[in-house]
Amino acid sequence: MENNHSTKQIWIVFLILLILTGIEVGLGIFKPVSYQALKWTFIILTLVKAYYIIAYFMHVKHERRNFIFTLAFPAFILIPYLLFILLTEAGDLI
Amino acid sequence: MSTISKESNVWGGGSKPFDASYGKMMMWFFLLTDALTFSGFLGAYGFCRFKYSESWPLAEHVFTHFPGIKGDQPLLYVALMTFILIMSSVTMVLAVHHGKLMNKNKVAIWMFLTIIGGAIFLGSQAWEWMHFIHGTHDGSIQLADGSVAKVINSGEKIMGKTYDYEILRIGAEKYITEKDLISNLKENSKKIYGANMIVNEYGLPQFANFFFFITGFHGFHVFSGVILNIIIFINILFGTYERRGHYEMVEKVGLYWHFVDLVWVFVFTFFYLI
């Protein structure tokens, strides 16, 4: 019972990742909207995919909360900080 | 008595405040630092991509090959590579899953499929590199000022118009259509083919440098992941983890493998889509 349940979840996550990648590729080939809109769509879809990989495939969802925070805080503070500086200097954000 | 004092003194050692083994925790900390490294690389890429956006090549103009199909197939091959890597991530989760159930044969099968997926991905990447290095049949011309222009054949539809003579495209979408200017520019130019660290027929050489460095660094991760997977696979066959009583090594190497997949998801978006 437990066994079937978790294998099913793995395949559901796989299906989600596959569909999101398919949407990305379709948007990339046909470009139905403006570049800015596409760019943010890609970024959001990528972050959703990353969430599913980290939470389900890497099992973070089932780790202890203090462990999740230990991993998440450095990433969520340092990476946006670095990207903010680099992209501001590149002239893309402003 | 001794167990009680151990539990009450969490920081005295011997307890697990994260409820994760030492090895797994350290794998996670390594992956966190690796994630910061990759965000540094991709951030630097983003900096150059938007700083020089007018002469930055578009990936869809660069990676257009698909084995067995003639003509331009933008994104298709890299989509296949992404699919292969996600698939091998799934087989890895299933290996970890059956490891928890102490199901030796099934762990071995899923682990084997993961190794195959990784090997196919590496082969695909080598193929992509080969095409990038060799370049197109027609190549490009490097103008006197160092910028790279693609010659567009007559009759091709460009921004809703067709020209009955060859025109030039600089960067992603800057077109030169004046006849005199074109012949003037062509006279002082030289032909270049393919991409390396110095010239890049698709545009700025920095694009090629970033491509080689980021996909190369990621490819090296995939390569070392495949090696680790093979070592674990051999251990599974020898029954090492059966004797040990748990398959945690599969879980640890699985974390690394998923991380490689995770990085590819970002490389795919920022290198090929944006």
Side-chain angles (χ1 to χ4, degrees):
Chain A
M1 182 61 196
E2 175 69 26
N3 173 17
N4 279 338
H5 172 70
S6 44
T7 337
K8 199 177 155 197
Q9 192 177 52
I10 292 168
W11 288 108
I12 289 172
V13 172
F14 167 67
L15 214 64
I16 293 170
L17 292 176
L18 198 64
I19 290 168
L20 291 182
T21 308
I23 292 173
E24 281 186 337
V25 173
L27 288 176
I29 291 176
F30 297 110
K31 295 193 186 342
V33 283
S34 73
Y35 175 72
Q36 282 298 320
L38 272 182
K39 189 173 85 177
W40 287 105
T41 317
F42 287 146
I43 290 172
I44 290 164
L45 287 179
T46 303
L47 291 177
V48 173
K49 275 161 75 178
Y51 168 79
Y52 276 105
I53 291 174
I54 295 170
Y56 292 97
F57 284 3
M58 298 171 98
H59 252 269
V60 166
K61 220 172 173 219
H62 306 289
E63 300 291 351
R64 283 185 63 94
R65 215 137 74 106
N66 48 8
F67 192 32
I68 297 175
F69 287 159
T70 308
L71 297 170
F73 282 175
F76 283 166
I77 294 166
L78 292 175
I79 294 173
Y81 172 58
L82 178 71
L83 291 181
F84 169 73
I85 291 174
L86 283 172
L87 294 181
T88 307
E89 287 301 310
D92 184 51
L93 278 183
I94 301 169
Chain B
M1 185 60 210
S2 68
T3 49
I4 293 168
S5 66
K6 251 185 194 169
E7 273 172 25
S8 58
N9 185 7
V10 173
W11 301 106
S15 58
K16 293 183 189 169
F18 287 161
D19 195 24
S21 74
Y22 177 79
K24 194 170 139 184
M25 196 173 75
M26 285 302 152
M27 177 54 92
W28 263 113
F29 290 156
F30 163 67
L31 294 182
L32 179 62
T33 60
D34 223 15
L36 295 177
T37 308
F38 270 108
S39 35
F41 292 160
L42 285 173
Y45 173 81
F47 174 79
C48 282
R49 158 107 189 53
F50 291 116
K51 187 98 184 158
Y52 306 108
S53 51
E54 68 288 342
S55 48
W56 201 256
L58 283 184
E60 63 187 69
H61 291 148
V62 181
F63 306 103
T64 56
H65 304 282
F66 195 92
I69 305 178
K70 278 227 152 75
D72 278 5
Q73 305 293 335
L75 281 180
L76 220 54
Y77 191 64
V78 73
L80 178 73
M81 282 167 74
T82 309
F83 171 73
I84 291 164
L85 208 56
I86 290 177
M87 199 62 224
S88 83
S89 222
V90 173
T91 56
M92 181 51 111
V93 191
L94 290 167
V96 174
H97 176 74
H98 286 292
K100 284 197 177 131
L101 303 172
M102 298 299 287
N103 218 334
K104 181 184 160 185
N105 288 335
K106 283 200 169 159
V107 183
I109 290 169
W110 289 118
M111 200 69 194
F112 181 72
L113 290 175
T114 309
I115 294 167
I116 298 294
I120 296 174
F121 181 85
L122 281 176
S124 313
Q125 208 165 38
W127 193 84
E128 182 121 304
W129 273 49
M130 188 197 78
H131 270 275
F132 187 58
I133 292 168
H134 282 284
T136 55
H137 180 67
D138 300 326
S140 286
I141 55 173
Q142 190 167 31
L143 307 179
D145 66 348
S147 62
V148 174
K150 200 94 190 157
V151 181
I152 311 279
N153 289 332
S154 58
E156 257 180 66
K157 199 168 186 183
I158 299 298
M159 313 198 98
K161 270 204 247 174
T162 47
Y163 298 88
D164 55 357
Y165 52 91
E166 288 179 338
I167 61 165
L168 299 179
R169 188 189 73 220
I170 295 179
E173 46 215 5
K174 186 178 160 199
Y175 293 95
I176 297 175
T177 52
E178 295 91 4
K179 257 185 182 167
D180 296 339
L181 184 57
I182 291 171
S183 57
N184 193 3
L185 286 172
K186 266 189 183 170
E187 254 169 49
N188 303 309
S189 70
K190 62 173 186 190
K191 270 264 174 201
I192 50 172
Y193 295 96
N196 53 45
M197 301 299 271
I198 298 149
V199 290
N200 171 14
E201 74 154 78
Y202 303 102
L204 275 187
Q206 279 92 327
F207 177 84
N209 298 351
F210 273 115
F211 177 78
F212 289 131
F213 195 67
I214 295 178
T215 65
F217 198 64
H218 174 264
F220 183 69
H221 274 75
V222 180
F223 175 73
S224 46
V226 170
I227 298 292
L228 288 174
N229 285 352
I230 289 173
I231 294 170
I232 302 296
F233 178 65
I234 291 168
N235 272 320
I236 293 167
L237 291 186
F238 284 158
T240 310
Y241 307 122
E242 206 74 21
R243 282 194 297 280
R244 200 177 282 178
H246 58 79
Y247 279 85
E248 212 197 51
M249 277 311 284
V250 178
E251 201 180 332
K252 278 181 240 172
V253 85
L255 284 178
Y256 182 72
W257 191 252
H258 296 314
F259 176 75
V260 166
D261 182 29
L262 179 69
V263 170
W264 182 256
V265 164
F266 282 93
V267 171
F268 174 61
T269 300
F270 294 118
F271 229 100
Y272 292 91
L273 293 176
I274 291 185

